[in-house]
Amino acid sequence: GGNMKKHFCVLFLVLGLCFAVAGQDRAAWAAEQRDAWNSFYDYLKAVQLGNTKAIMAFWHPKYVSWNYAQELPTDFETSQKGLEGFFKAYRFQKFECLPLNVQVEGDIAILHVRFSIVISDSSGKEIPSSGPETVILAKKDGMWMMLGLVWIEK
């Protein structure tokens, strides 16, 4: 019902989700592209482990996300409130991502990815989800931080 939909919204606020990487030839990336992806990849490890402190540390103070299935984007504070509830209710069973494109322009990076996940609730029921996602990173004090996240789940 509505509560599950709320949890899925929180899930994808947190995500930017991709762990097992395949596809795009990362060997051909420029150093700045690798740097942006590696920072995001470290974030994904924190997501997979449910490390809320590390997740929040990666979010830029002006972080905003938007699941296109929802009417409005979600701000930092709203995302923060839902984060711990999600990790109390769900665990990752599968966590994969395919980087389709990584572009860096100065202190901004845009990552287009395709995610595929399976989470399980406390009863062990598995819930799959997948879709495209765009992650916007901004460098702040020399470190990449997630400024924005846009996705639609299927």
Side-chain angles (χ1 to χ4, degrees):
N3 198 26
M4 180 176 228
K5 189 168 190 87
K6 180 180 176 187
H7 282 292
F8 265 114
C9 289
V10 171
L11 164 68
F12 290 99
L13 297 175
V14 173
L15 296 187
L17 240 204
C18 328
F19 201 71
V21 180
Q24 188 180 31
D25 181 11
R26 297 188 315 159
W29 286 356
E32 60 199 12
Q33 290 170 297
R34 283 192 302 277
D35 182 47
W37 178 261
N38 289 340
S39 293
F40 181 62
Y41 189 80
D42 287 343
Y43 166 78
L44 297 175
K45 289 187 243 179
V47 171
Q48 186 186 36
L49 296 172
N51 184 340
T52 56
K53 187 171 264 190
I55 292 166
M56 297 302 302
F58 193 71
W59 287 355
H60 190 281
K62 295 181 179 179
Y63 173 78
V64 174
S65 66
W66 192 3
N67 174 346
Y68 281 158
Q70 301 301 309
E71 202 149 324
L72 297 170
T74 304
D75 64 13
F76 186 101
E77 290 76 23
T78 305
S79 300
Q80 182 177 10
K81 288 176 186 173
L83 184 63
E84 289 171 350
F86 172 80
F87 285 115
K88 286 179 184 172
Y90 300 100
R91 297 283 176 260
F92 289 103
Q93 301 303 320
K94 176 185 172 188
F95 198 92
E96 296 179 348
C97 178
L98 174 66
L100 303 176
N101 189 279
V102 175
Q103 295 296 321
V104 178
E105 182 63 37
D107 288 343
I108 299 293
I110 300 172
L111 291 68
H112 296 288
V113 302
R114 183 161 300 281
F115 67 87
S116 177
I117 65 165
V118 176
I119 59 172
S120 61
D121 62 17
S122 58
S123 72
K125 178 183 175 192
E126 292 191 348
I127 306 158
S129 185
S130 63
E133 181 174 83
T134 297
V135 179
I136 301 115
L137 303 179
K139 262 197 181 168
K140 185 174 187 322
D141 301 325
M143 294 177 49
W144 288 111
M145 300 184 82
M146 190 181 302
L147 183 61
L149 174 64
V150 178
W151 76 97
I152 189 156
E153 57 193 275
K154 297 179 181 177

